[in-house]
Amino acid sequence: MSLSVAVAGASGYAGGELLRLLALHPELEVRTVTAHANAGQPLVSVHPNLRSLASLTFQETTAEVLAGHDVVFLALPHGHSGGIAAQLADDVLVVDAGADHRLEAAADWLQYYGTEHAGTWPYGMPELILADGGRQRRELRAARRIAVPGCNATAVTLAAAPGIASGVIDPTGLVSVLAVGSSGAGRAAKTHLLASELTGSATPYGVGGTHRHIPEIAQNLRNAGAGEVLHSFTPVLVPMSRGILATVTAPLVGDATAEQVRGAWLSAYGDERFVYVLPAGAFPRTADVLGSNSVHIGVGVDEAARRVVMIAAIDNLGKGTAGAAIQSANIALGFDEQLGLPVDGVAP
């Protein structure tokens, strides 16, 4: 018998992607969807692409509505998950696709979000290398609470962590520039997200160390073995609906060859089903991962600058949010990690 699922915040882009993937999951059945402004409306009035879930209607987002399900996915704005989750039974698997439970340090949360910290849950990035050589997926087995990573944090972390763990890059000299699709800014109507504002333009945001994914990335890289992390992080909004291309560079440590450097990434991800290290000289495109839970990574060495260049492509709504949530839930529930998740992108 399938496990019952509720998705809170199901009217947004992340909630819609969760529903799209869950609709094809053989062991999970979406029975309840909730929203705020759209409560009372049919699901397909907001997500007309989800015809298989046309019988569902958005309900109010309350703990009472979410209670009684085996799995609850929270796709809510930051600051809204903690209170709801605290009212749900301990034996329910709650997967928070928002930011509330990602950070380990309350001081980091206060600095970047400005409210009281809701606490820390097991972090839903199964492939994250840990300093002792293990992987983060071990922390997810049988977990009942999971914090899904931020999309930008996913791209930068998976690009850089093998270099940290192997000692071939210096984490005090990290520079990241990301091209980010507009769906990462959410579904709310905002002037700077209008087509006339986006089309033909690239717009930096969260500049100068202000972006909320910065402490999360530093936390991940410290867990991978870094001591001090100094990271210049600049996301750029570009005119595409979804996808992230993260270009990360860092000083090369020692005199390793480009082949030896690539070997660190091949060793780290050789057994991973969702992370693909491209051949030497090849670098990824966002177009190749859209609609999938895959990560494509290209690694090279800029010999003149003595820096390692790491480029990762993900779908911000897939591996960056909904895919990671379902992948982590699969592990917690004892299912095959890939169940219900595509590795193939949609092209053209």
Side-chain angles (χ1 to χ4, degrees), residues 198-240:
L198 280 175
T199 304
S201 180
T203 307
Y205 64 99
V207 177
T210 62
H211 196 282
R212 288 166 169 165
H213 289 175
I214 290 174
E216 183 182 349
I217 294 168
Q219 172 181 292
N220 293 344
L221 298 183
R222 288 193 299 269
N223 286 337
E228 185 179 17
V229 177
L230 297 178
H231 180 204
S232 174
F233 174 89
T234 306
V236 180
L237 192 65
V238 298
M240 60 186 185

Side-chain angles (χ1 to χ4, degrees), residues 35-274:
H36 177 55
N38 297 108
Q41 298 181 23
L43 170 67
V44 290
S45 69
V46 176
H47 299 300
N49 57 310
L50 300 178
R51 299 307 307 174
S52 65
L53 300 175
S55 63
L56 297 176
T57 298
F58 292 114
Q59 301 183 51
E60 294 283 351
T61 302
T62 66
E64 291 73 21
V65 169
L66 299 173
H69 296 83
D70 298 305
V71 185
V72 175
F73 291 94
L74 303 175
L76 302 171
H78 72 265
H80 289 72
S81 297
I84 290 284
Q87 301 176 64
L88 299 175
D90 292 342
D91 61 347
V92 175
L93 174 57
V94 183
V95 184
D96 184 8
D100 288 24
H101 302 95
R102 296 170 184 163
L103 296 180
E104 297 170 358
D108 284 342
W109 177 267
L110 181 62
Q111 177 181 350
Y112 282 86
Y113 292 89
T115 59
E116 184 178 353
H117 188 219
T120 306
W121 290 358
Y123 191 65
M125 187 184 291
E127 301 91 351
L128 176 60
I129 303 168
L130 303 178
D132 63 4
R135 299 298 170 108
Q136 180 63 19
R137 61 172 46 86
R138 75 187 184 197
E139 307 299 323
L140 301 175
R141 297 189 178 105
R144 295 295 93 180
R145 298 290 188 270
I146 295 172
V148 179
C151 54
N152 296 311
T154 295
V156 175
T157 298
L158 292 177
I164 300 290
S166 63
V168 300
I169 64 172
D170 179 359
T172 66
L174 281 170
V175 176
S176 300
V177 179
L178 290 75
V180 182
S182 59
S183 60
R187 193 166 193 161
K190 302 171 186 175
T191 300
H192 74 285
L193 298 179
L194 295 173
S196 56
E197 301 288 336
L198 280 175
T199 304
S201 180
T203 307
Y205 64 99
V207 177
T210 62
H211 196 282
R212 288 166 169 165
H213 289 175
I214 290 174
E216 183 182 349
I217 294 168
Q219 172 181 292
N220 293 344
L221 298 183
R222 288 193 299 269
N223 286 337
E228 185 179 17
V229 177
L230 297 178
H231 180 204
S232 174
F233 174 89
T234 306
V236 180
L237 192 65
V238 298
M240 60 186 185
S241 61
R242 55 201 288 169
I244 295 175
L245 188 74
T247 301
V248 185
T249 72
L252 175 64
V253 174
D255 57 359
T257 66
E259 183 178 357
Q260 290 169 331
V261 168
R262 286 191 70 259
W265 273 259
L266 291 169
S267 176
Y269 295 135
D271 294 329
E272 295 292 348
R273 287 181 280 182
F274 293 114

Side-chain angles (χ1 to χ4, degrees), residues 16-25 50 291 317-318 322-323 326 340-342:
E17 187 71 356
L18 272 166
L19 294 173
R20 184 182 75 86
L21 295 173
L22 288 167
L24 297 176
H25 198 292
L50 300 178
L317 297 178
I326 295 171
L341 292 172

